Amino acid sequence: MTEAAELPPAPAEAEAVFGERFPDAVRYAELLADAGVRRGLIGPREVPRLWERHLLNCAVLSEAVPEGVTVCDVGSGAGLPGIPLALVRPDLRITLLEPLLRRTTFLQEVVELLGLDHVTVVRGRAEEMLGKLPPVHVVTARAVAPLDRLAGWGVPLLRPYGEMLALKGDTAEEELLAARSALGKLGVVETSVLHVGEGVVDPPSTLVRVEVGESPGGVRFAAKRAKAARVSRSRRRR
């Protein structure tokens, strides 16, 4: 049985970032350090750096998310970045999308325990969700896949003129350059690298922002989207 390392006290920045939901952030950190390790959702070596590297690193993503939008967190895993984002942004409607049952079970437990009424857990693969989930304004992801592959999963889930925000590390610029051709085929019209969380996390979190035009997924997904819409209309008429 894996022994979890001791969870350190929350840093002062955490109380400022999470505000009135700080006690819930502490509870979530405790769950990750205990059940999260026992169920194999995070490694025991991550426990000592849960606050800085994981919770705060994800919570500052909120700086880049517009007010009152819908969000789909692709490959949510143990809830990163979706749960920290939900704690600091009650104005958002967030879907945690995750294919593995043991992870979605954990996510549902966390959502219910913390009373996150604006969060929905869905089990499934992003590439199979076209037409099954309503298109969203923002797709988020962290440590899921290289940018070109991630965009192929996430971009088609967007509404027209939506955006994907991917938490990346030092390789953000290189990944963006390598993925430029693939992004263009997916209907992406603008890309940028952002740094958020200055003064909260050191170094600041790095985001790749991918913005789409009126055809998320490009020509490749236009036919799939039209077919999904026809199937949806047909089901509603039954």
Side-chain angles (χ1 to χ4, degrees), residues 68-87:
V69 298
T70 52
V71 178
C72 182
D73 187 31
V74 170
S76 197
L80 301 165
I83 296 292
L85 181 62
L87 287 171

Side-chain angles (χ1 to χ4, degrees), residues 169-184:
D170 297 336
T171 62
E173 295 279 4
E174 291 84 349
E175 281 197 54
L176 189 52
L177 186 63
R180 200 166 297 279
S181 175
L183 294 176

Side-chain angles (χ1 to χ4, degrees), residues 29-152:
E30 292 170 346
L31 287 167
L32 288 175
D34 182 12
V37 172
R38 285 190 286 104
R39 299 189 196 182
L41 302 179
I42 66 165
R45 293 183 180 179
E46 296 302 311
V47 173
R49 51 186 185 177
L50 263 179
W51 283 105
E52 289 83 358
R53 184 179 175 87
H54 297 286
L55 273 74
L56 287 172
N57 179 272
C58 291
V60 297
L61 171 67
S62 66
E63 295 178 17
V65 180
E67 288 187 16
V69 298
T70 52
V71 178
C72 182
D73 187 31
V74 170
S76 197
L80 301 165
I83 296 292
L85 181 62
L87 287 171
V88 298
R89 293 291 300 276
D91 60 299
L92 305 175
R93 301 297 299 181
I94 300 176
T95 298
L96 306 180
L97 180 61
E98 168 57 46
L100 296 184
L101 177 60
R102 63 187 172 90
R103 292 177 180 170
T104 54
T105 299
F106 175 79
L107 291 173
Q108 191 60 53
E109 291 171 2
V110 171
V111 166
E112 292 175 3
L113 182 67
L114 302 185
L116 298 173
D117 297 335
H118 58 305
V119 177
T120 302
V121 178
V122 174
R123 184 184 176 198
R125 298 182 180 278
E127 58 268 37
E128 299 169 355
M129 288 296 110
L130 191 65
K132 297 179 182 179
L133 286 179
V136 296
H137 297 92
V138 178
V139 164
T140 59
R142 178 180 188 252
V144 173
L147 186 60
D148 55 349
R149 201 185 324 158
L150 173 61

